[in-house]
Amino acid sequence: MSEQNRPSSNGSNYSPSSSPAPTSRRQRLLGLARATRDTYIPKITTSVSLFASGIGSRSIEYDEYGMVAALPKSTQFTLYPSYTRRVSDHYIITVRGWMWCPGTMSRKNRLVLSLAKQVTRSNDDSAQVAVDRLEHDPSLSQDVASPSEQDDSDNASISTTGSGASGASSASPQLRDFDARLKSRLSSFLARSIPNAGLAIVVGADALDHLELRQVSVVTDPNGHFSAELEVPYQPSVVLVTSKIDETVCAFQEIHLVDYKGYGIISDIDDTVKLTGVIGDKRELMRRLLLGEVDSWEIKPVVNWFNEIKHRFNATFHYVSNSPWQLFATIHEYFHLVNLPPGSFHLKQYTGNIISSLMEPSSSRKKTSLSRILNDFPEKQFICVGDSGEHDFEAYVDLAETYPGQVKSIYIRVVEDSLSDVDDGNILKEMRRLLDVWKSKQATKSSNKKSPEASTADLIDLTEDSPRSESPKPLKKQPPLIPKKPSALKGSSIPKAPPLPERKCGGQSDTQILHEHISEQRGATPPPLPRRRTSPPVKEYDVDEQLSLLRIHDVSSYYELEEYDKKGGMWLQRLSRALETLDGAGVDIAFFEDQDERFFQETLTFLGKGIQ
């Protein structure tokens, strides 16, 4: 075939002339087949893949200003329990929530699920390796997925994905239940947040005569979260949150009005009202979190105690925890099952790592939420409840120091193996002894403060027979005193002769004999010796001084204790610093165990006296 009549790759005939050369029927069919292969089949395949995987419905479109222009069909809101407070004749409503859609089975999410299964199903080294990777692998951080990760997905979301056709038929019913529970509890961690979405928040009225309802507009942050504080002149009834681009994406929340006075309970969640095991083995933590039965998390004595406080004193509850918001659905399920008192929740932003989010220090993260609650309710008396496994104690001590008079009590639940490297019982016994000594001193100081007032009142005669004297005239301002030179700096005459050089010899020296002789003749006494410089007074709550009264682990010195039991020594130091900080603050402090029925009864009696 000549060059002029050779067909091109797309089936058409190439010819340098203006009119194409005639081609055979076979050549035209081959060209059409090539064109179909190169052009139409890839487009059809891509469309079918997108339809089957649901990516088309889950993709988020943005406009030229960076705002969301189209939402995935599965987009939804999670509104977090907050509170409403009344100030004068107005109401202030706090609204907080999260806008998200279910995550897809990307490569990263498949790996997270696979590692989670290894942790929950095995006890060998592979489980520890999986834990380490979940904790330290930066590629598993749950940031916004890249387009390549979004396109690499299966045909269902994580919350509804099964274990596969082949796996489902061969696995036992119990294993299938475990897989479903694991994926359900991980779904919030693998969900996709929807940032830069415009929302409208409307506060409904309890009465129908208010036609103009308060409304504000907010935008979700990079993590899909939003918050707003609205002030309305009418009694609110319900809050409605709606997407501005899709009114079908909405959520309602009832108003929770909190009393301005009375008792408020600020409580941690993990290992305080819910058995989590934050300070224990990380593998056991993940198993309890992802596969544990909800009712197995109950700490029954604390639950009963909280309900009794709610029943007797109508206290309000505020749960401030180090748990990420992605655990809220599971926590809410637990609260409903064990019947814990409802209240506002104050959790933290997810850092992208499941294990680190649960185990990182929480004192600094909690400070903002704690301060916000006490600022919003300055006339409430707060009882702060936490556990010894984290830094709740320091957070509450700092809160009591910052807001004097608002923190009535600090109660810490003792978590197993959290007080000592050797024996928790010995350290707890010493801590309670220190608290007893401190409380007795606080009571003495309190009685001493009242006695001068009583004596002053007795000196004032208010009987009718007493003559009424005119009001005393203000004293004339006296000129300032002229400072006097300290006597130690004044010069003085020498009443004796200069001392002679001292010579060492048996008995008294010649200088001493001569000095006594001159003194007897002049009738003068030798000058007093200078005062010996004394060491600074020991602090009232010095750890080593207190330890000398009771031997712990067969050691009587704090330094020996620190070498033998570092954790126990640190706890005694922490407690001693707290007692110095709260000296005279009127705060009740106690460390309690679950089986300590006496503690629960005494605290109820103590709170009952304070509210009368």
Side-chain angles (χ1 to χ4, degrees):
M1 182 182 296
S2 63
E3 184 69 24
Q4 294 180 353
N5 297 330
R6 183 176 299 168
S8 64
S9 61
N10 60 2
S12 61
N13 294 330
Y14 171 79
S15 176
S17 61
S18 60
S19 60
T23 58
S24 65
R25 186 176 181 180
R26 181 172 177 273
Q27 291 174 344
R28 290 197 299 268
L29 291 175
L30 289 174
L32 180 61
R34 293 191 187 99
T36 302
R37 181 196 63 188
D38 299 336
T39 305
Y40 296 103
I41 289 180
K43 291 183 178 180
I44 294 174
T45 304
T46 303
S47 300
V48 172
S49 300
L50 292 176
F51 177 78
S53 64
I55 286 296
S57 63
R58 292 189 180 92
S59 60
I60 305 175
E61 299 180 6
Y62 294 90
D63 59 18
E64 57 184 350
Y65 302 103
M67 299 294 294
V68 173
L71 293 173
K73 292 181 180 179
S74 53
T75 299
Q76 54 189 295
F77 290 114
T78 298
L79 297 183
Y80 303 128
S82 187
Y83 53 74
T84 297
R85 52 196 174 97
R86 183 171 183 174
V87 180
S88 184
D89 57 345
H90 287 68
Y91 294 86
I92 300 178
I93 303 99
T94 303
V95 183
R96 295 172 293 125
W98 178 34
M99 191 178 190
W100 59 281
C101 67
T104 56
M105 290 297 291
S106 63
R107 290 189 298 268
K108 177 175 60 181
N109 291 344
R110 285 197 194 96
L111 180 57
V112 171
L113 285 172
S114 175
L115 293 174
K117 289 180 181 179
Q118 292 182 38
V119 173
T120 55
R121 293 181 183 177
S122 61
N123 293 316
D124 53 11
D125 295 339
S126 62
Q128 186 61 47
V129 172
V131 168
D132 295 339
R133 188 166 183 187
L134 280 172
E135 185 176 10
H136 301 294
D137 193 343
S139 64
L140 299 180
S141 61
Q142 298 301 308
D143 299 325
V144 179
S146 62
S148 61
E149 289 177 330
Q150 294 178 10
D151 292 340
D152 179 27
S153 59
D154 290 335
N155 58 356
S157 63
I158 292 174
S159 58
T160 59
T161 300
S163 58
S166 60
S169 60
S170 60
S172 63
Q174 183 180 11
L175 191 58
R176 290 197 297 269
D177 291 342
F178 283 169
D179 285 347
R181 184 181 301 173
L182 184 145
K183 291 171 184 175
S184 175
R185 294 182 181 176
L186 276 178
S187 60
S188 295
F189 291 96
L190 305 180
R192 291 178 56 196
S193 301
I194 301 180
N196 300 334
L199 310 178
I201 302 177
V202 183
V203 180
D206 189 52
L208 299 178
D209 54 347
H210 292 279
L211 300 179
E212 295 184 2
L213 300 179
R214 182 81 166 90
Q215 176 177 338
V216 296
S217 298
V218 297
V219 178
T220 57
D221 64 14
N223 297 301
H225 288 254
F226 60 90
S227 63
E229 192 172 81
L230 299 85
E231 184 175 349
V232 298
Y234 52 85
Q235 184 171 352
S237 61
V238 69
V239 173
L240 170 63
V241 182
T242 310
S243 170
K244 286 189 174 183
I245 60 176
D246 188 352
E247 294 183 354
T248 62
V249 181
C250 60
F252 291 89
Q253 185 179 60
E254 294 184 358
I255 293 297
H256 176 54
L257 184 62
V258 174
D259 294 335
Y260 201 68
K261 297 183 179 180
Y263 283 143
I265 309 298
I266 294 178
S267 175
D268 181 44
I269 295 178
D270 295 309
D271 293 323
T272 300
V273 299
K274 169 179 167 288
L275 186 60
T276 305
V278 173
I279 67 170
D281 184 70
K282 296 177 183 178
R283 293 173 295 181
E284 185 62 30
L285 169 65
M286 292 293 292
R287 294 189 187 102
R288 185 180 291 114
L289 173 66
L290 299 177
L291 294 181
E293 297 287 348
V294 176
D295 55 0
S296 67
W297 302 338
E298 183 180 12
I299 306 176
K300 199 169 186 60
V302 179
V303 174
N304 295 337
W305 181 44
F306 273 27
N307 283 310
E308 191 67 24
I309 294 175
K310 173 70 175 178
H311 174 72
R312 290 194 186 187
F313 312 114
N314 195 28
T316 59
F317 288 78
H318 310 272
Y319 299 98
V320 184
S321 174
N322 195 38
S323 294
W325 281 114
Q326 278 70 10
L327 281 175
F328 172 72
T330 306
I331 293 174
H332 184 265
E333 179 186 0
Y334 167 74
F335 270 59
H336 179 73
L337 179 66
V338 303
N339 195 29
L340 270 166
S344 63
F345 283 78
H346 309 265
L347 309 185
K348 72 174 184 181
Q349 178 59 50
Y350 180 44
T351 60
N353 188 292
I354 300 174
I355 300 177
S356 296
S357 294
L358 292 171
M359 308 192 73
E360 67 178 347
S362 60
S363 178
S364 59
R365 290 184 177 272
K366 289 183 177 181
K367 186 175 182 180
T368 302
S369 298
L370 295 174
S371 300
R372 175 70 179 273
I373 295 171
L374 268 70
N375 284 327
D376 287 345
F377 301 98
E379 296 186 24
K380 264 187 176 296
Q381 292 285 301
F382 288 95
I383 296 93
C384 300
V385 184
D387 63 87
S388 60
E390 297 182 283
H391 295 273
D392 296 336
F393 184 56
E394 283 79 5
Y396 293 152
V397 169
D398 181 68
L399 191 69
E401 182 184 17
T402 307
Y403 298 88
Q406 287 188 251
V407 177
K408 185 177 182 66
S409 307
I410 298 175
Y411 298 138
I412 302 298
R413 176 180 177 267
V414 176
V415 179
E416 186 178 359
D417 297 331
S418 64
L419 299 181
S420 171
D421 295 323
V422 181
D423 187 355
D424 280 1
N426 286 343
I427 297 298
L428 179 60
K429 183 178 180 181
E430 175 64 9
M431 292 172 66
R432 287 175 171 171
R433 190 191 65 81
L434 293 177
L435 283 170
D436 290 340
V437 174
W438 179 76
K439 289 179 181 180
S440 63
K441 292 180 180 179
Q442 301 303 303
T444 303
K445 291 181 179 180
S446 178
S447 60
N448 291 338
K449 288 182 180 179
K450 295 179 180 179
S451 55
E453 297 178 1
S455 60
T456 304
D458 295 336
L459 295 176
I460 302 176
D461 189 3
L462 298 179
T463 59
E464 296 182 356
D465 298 338
S466 60
R468 296 185 178 181
S469 60
E470 298 181 358
S471 58
K473 297 181 180 181
L475 297 175
K476 185 177 180 181
K477 188 175 181 180
Q478 300 295 328
L481 297 175
I482 301 175
K484 295 182 179 180
K485 189 174 184 179
S487 58
L489 301 179
K490 292 182 179 180
S492 58
S493 57
I494 301 176
K496 62 182 185 301
L500 297 174
E502 185 176 355
R503 291 186 301 173
K504 298 283 184 177
C505 62
Q508 287 184 321
S509 64
D510 296 340
T511 304
Q512 292 175 338
I513 297 173
L514 180 61
H515 179 74
E516 293 177 358
H517 177 71
I518 296 175
S519 298
E520 291 176 358
Q521 289 182 349
R522 297 187 177 183
T525 58
L529 297 175
R531 291 184 178 181
R532 180 176 297 176
R533 182 175 298 177
T534 59
S535 58
V538 180
K539 289 185 177 181
E540 189 174 357
Y541 308 110
D542 183 73
V543 179
D544 206 44
E545 178 189 12
Q546 298 291 349
L547 281 176
S548 63
L549 303 178
L550 181 68
R551 298 177 67 85
I552 305 174
H553 304 323
D554 294 328
V555 298
S556 57
S557 169
Y558 169 73
Y559 300 103
E560 295 180 17
L561 175 64
E562 191 177 32
E563 290 291 332
Y564 185 68
D565 185 2
K566 184 176 182 180
K567 187 184 294 184
M570 290 301 298
W571 257 113
L572 292 177
Q573 261 195 334
R574 292 165 67 180
L575 179 60
S576 298
R577 286 195 297 264
L579 297 183
E580 291 182 17
T581 301
L582 299 182
D583 185 22
V587 180
D588 185 40
I589 302 175
F591 289 76
F592 68 93
E593 296 175 290
D594 295 342
Q595 66 273 17
D596 192 355
E597 288 291 338
R598 180 180 177 183
F599 162 78
F600 297 116
Q601 293 300 325
E602 288 180 350
T603 53
L604 293 174
T605 303
F606 174 75
L607 296 178
K609 293 179 180 178
I611 205 172
Q612 293 176 355

